[in-house]
Amino acid sequence: MDTVTTTRGRGRGGRERILAAAARLFAAQGINTTGMEQIAEEAPVSKRTLYSHFRTKSDLVVAHLQDLASSGATLESVLTREDISPRERVLRLFDPPATEQDPVRGCPFIDAAAEFPDPASPVHSCAREQKLRMVRLVAGLVTELGCREPQALAEQLVTLADGAAARAMVLGDADYGRHGRAAAEVLLAHALPGRNST
């Protein structure tokens, strides 16, 4: 009976199980300290199945980041919601994670770029593109609000969001974003049309 269960576990859905296992292990112990063999064991799949889906570890990490970006599970996903106002979408970048995380994690894209520091590496490039997308999304939202110099404001806001996420991780404070949110509210208030700069 155990043999049947194991066979079924290693059958269809191997790619999804690999990505789910990689996500758990990368979050818990980092990317570079997680081996492909460990991921195969956690999935569970054979190493042959793992490498048939992902030829290299870089391929797996890029797929992991792309999966995160499309899953709606990242901080940036709030920026594309249609059920809340553009201003609230920007401010929700600073909200605590929707699910309890222990320990508190920072931005997975920044983490990946730090672990793959070569700007030419596929992982670093993927992380950079996600961060550039975040700026584009915020710039679009502040443009909707009629803010002056939307590109500069977007860069300031995402810098605040990334900094707040990093400090939340280092300090183990899931609600650290409240400080960034307070600063973002000031930036938005000063950028609204009709507001005299001081």
Side-chain angles (χ1 to χ4, degrees):
M1 190 160 183
D2 288 341
T3 306
V4 174
T5 304
T6 303
T7 304
R8 285 179 183 165
R10 293 175 181 270
R12 294 161 62 176
R15 186 177 193 278
E16 291 73 22
R17 291 200 313 281
I18 292 165
L19 286 170
R24 287 191 300 274
L25 291 169
F26 292 162
Q29 58 192 33
I31 296 171
N32 287 331
T33 56
T34 300
M36 293 290 269
E37 194 165 313
Q38 187 182 11
I39 292 167
E41 196 173 302
E42 175 83 4
V45 295
S46 67
K47 284 192 283 184
R48 179 177 179 176
T49 298
L50 173 59
Y51 285 107
S52 72
H53 287 290
F54 304 102
R55 193 174 51 84
T56 66
K57 187 173 181 182
S58 285
D59 290 344
L60 173 56
V61 177
V62 168
H64 161 67
L65 294 178
Q66 291 171 339
D67 193 51
L68 277 179
S70 64
S71 70
T74 62
L75 194 62
E76 294 89 343
S77 64
V78 73
L79 298 173
T80 57
R81 286 181 54 178
E82 298 292 334
D83 59 322
I84 51 177
S85 70
R87 182 178 184 279
E88 190 57 28
R89 278 183 255 176
V90 171
L91 292 177
R92 287 201 186 179
L93 282 174
F94 304 94
D95 284 356
T99 57
E100 288 293 322
Q101 292 179 311
D102 189 21
V104 176
R105 295 297 175 198
C107 171
F109 304 104
I110 292 177
D111 291 347
E115 292 205 51
F116 291 79
D118 180 0
S121 81
V123 173
H124 197 101
S125 296
C126 180
R128 180 176 58 242
E129 181 50 45
Q130 182 63 19
K131 287 314 196 178
L132 292 173
R133 178 177 179 268
M134 185 178 176
V135 173
R136 290 193 298 271
L137 289 170
V138 173
L141 293 174
V142 296
T143 298
E144 280 186 60
L145 291 172
C147 292
R148 299 187 296 267
E149 300 182 23
Q151 192 62 38
L153 179 60
E155 291 286 359
Q156 293 164 4
L157 290 166
V158 299
T159 298
L160 270 177
D162 284 338
R167 288 186 65 81
M169 183 270 294
V170 171
L171 300 176
D173 180 359
D175 192 33
Y176 190 87
R178 66 191 183 280
H179 302 296
R181 183 180 177 116
E185 286 173 338
V186 173
L187 284 173
L188 285 169
H190 281 277
L192 289 173
R195 176 82 183 233
N196 292 324
S197 57
T198 55

